[in-house]
Amino acid sequence: MAQPRAELVGPATPIQPLARLSGQLGITLHIKRDDLAGTTFGGNKSRQLEYYLGAAQAASADTILITGAVQSNFVRTAAASAAQLGMRTIVQLESRVPDMGPTYDRSGNVLLSRILGAEVMHYPDGEDEAGADAALRARAVQEQKAGRVPYVIPLAAGNPPLGALGYMRAADEIIAQNAGFDVIVVASGSGLTHAGLLAGLHRAGHGARVIGSCVRRDAGLQTDRLKRVLAALSELTDTGGPVPQNRIEIWDGALAPGYGRIGPAAADAMARMAQVEGIMLDPVYTAKSFAAIPALVRSGSIPQGSNVLFVHTGGLAALFAYQDEIETALPRG
């Protein structure tokens, strides 16, 4: 049975050539502008939310509850998308990145969520996904007692991966736009975007490699997470049979110094994309995912002459919350 879907993304996001970077790297490089997907400040979360909010609509929900890091793009996009659909939003922010300054706690996605009218609650442990989900479900019970109809968008990997369905659709969209890509590079955090793209390509019989660049866990842990998400996705929808495990490719060369922190690889990638192509990346996701491309070209894992697609998943609102860290991390000219 088809899963309900709220139409939030609109027309296909463009795929654009990156001619100058292509010349520098010796590959044919394009960018999928999913930073333009959906509502204000856009991003990959809009595609995921089409299915979560579709399920919420099917349940006649009037209140959305969702967890994320303090500078979560997901919770901000959920608040904006829910507002479009006439729903109220409660966002739960985890303390996932320690020792950040006051700008981090007030600006960027936090400020936007407040402008959007979201109620903000907090959860103290950034590595306890099951506990964060339990806290939201306890709050949902309170909302029910108050006469509302809540819908919880869960965080932990053991829940049905509805968000991955958005990137199975995106895989079809990419193939329709340009079926010639050899390699697709994307950030890999929750695993829903990465797994959805991989499953969508597999279902379509397309052999492009999908390389996920780690933004939260090392390659070993992220590989395990992808296997679990793909298995759950195959139970949720037709994926054309199991995705072969040898198609799961993970790179963690820009992960350090950890989630929500900017290391040299991410800082170099952010500066390079901005200064060569005039396109901004964010410090948490897209800088770390783009960093994979020059590194893998240098190592030979992406061969010279390859046709490569970089998926820009958005996250640009977080730039403003990371001002101090970005100014410190950027390479000096």
Side-chain angles (χ1 to χ4, degrees):
M1 185 176 70
Q3 298 291 331
R5 171 175 161 256
E7 295 190 19
L8 302 171
V9 174
T13 58
I15 291 178
Q16 300 170 344
L18 297 176
R20 297 188 66 211
L21 281 171
S22 294
Q24 289 184 3
L25 296 171
I27 59 177
T28 301
L29 180 62
H30 287 75
I31 185 169
K32 175 69 167 169
R33 296 295 305 272
D34 265 12
D35 56 313
L36 305 177
T39 187
T40 304
F41 283 103
N44 64 321
K45 305 304 185 185
S46 294
R47 293 190 188 272
Q48 296 182 19
L49 284 162
E50 287 196 321
Y51 287 92
Y52 288 116
L53 295 184
Q57 286 183 314
S60 300
D62 57 22
T63 302
I64 302 300
L65 299 95
I66 184 170
T67 295
V70 170
Q71 283 298 327
S72 169
N73 302 301
F74 205 1
V75 302
R76 179 261 306 163
T77 308
S81 300
Q84 285 181 290
L85 301 175
M87 298 179 186
R88 169 174 166 259
T89 306
I90 299 171
V91 303
Q92 177 173 251
L93 302 182
E94 304 170 298
S95 298
R96 196 182 295 176
V97 186
D99 303 322
M100 300 296 283
T103 301
Y104 179 84
D105 291 319
R106 296 173 54 199
S107 186
N109 284 308
V110 175
L111 176 61
L112 294 177
S113 293
R114 292 189 182 280
I115 292 171
L116 288 161
E119 178 185 337
V120 178
M121 54 187 284
H122 295 274
Y123 191 76
D125 189 346
E127 297 301 328
D128 181 12
E129 292 183 338
D133 284 347
L136 275 192
R137 291 190 171 107
R139 176 59 189 272
V141 171
Q142 296 177 14
E143 294 297 311
Q144 286 177 318
K145 290 178 179 177
R148 294 192 174 272
V149 183
Y151 180 86
V152 173
I153 298 175
L155 182 63
N159 294 284
L162 290 179
L165 298 175
Y167 270 87
M168 291 188 70
R169 284 178 55 85
D172 292 335
E173 183 177 299
I174 289 167
I175 292 168
Q177 290 173 295
N178 184 337
F181 293 113
D182 304 308
V183 179
I184 300 173
V185 176
V186 67
S188 194
S190 70
L192 298 183
T193 296
H194 183 180
L197 271 177
L198 185 52
L201 292 170
H202 173 69
R203 182 175 64 181
H206 197 288
R209 297 165 61 194
V210 180
I211 300 174
S213 180
C214 296
V215 300
R216 186 169 180 187
R217 303 166 192 86
D218 66 26
L221 291 174
Q222 192 63 11
T223 298
D224 291 342
R225 190 178 184 97
L226 258 288
K227 290 176 181 177
R228 293 196 301 271
V229 173
L230 285 167
L233 186 57
S234 69
E235 296 177 2
L236 188 65
T237 191
D238 173 24
T239 59
V243 176
Q245 293 194 359
N246 63 6
R247 291 198 67 176
I248 299 174
E249 295 191 60
I250 305 287
W251 182 82
D252 62 5
L255 175 61
Y259 176 83
R261 299 287 190 178
I262 309 170
D268 288 347
M270 183 183 296
R272 187 172 192 176
M273 181 66 82
Q275 294 167 18
V276 177
E277 295 288 355
I279 296 174
M280 296 296 173
L281 303 177
D282 84 289
V284 182
Y285 293 93
T286 51
K288 292 185 177 185
S289 53
F290 175 64
I293 295 174
L296 293 174
V297 170
R298 285 194 301 270
S299 72
S301 180
I302 296 178
Q304 291 285 304
S306 296
N307 195 1
V308 179
L309 179 66
F310 169 61
V311 181
H312 190 326
T313 52
L316 296 181
L319 276 170
F320 305 105
Y322 276 85
Q323 179 177 341
D324 294 340
E325 287 74 19
I326 291 169
E327 289 177 343
T328 301
L330 282 178
R332 303 298 177 183

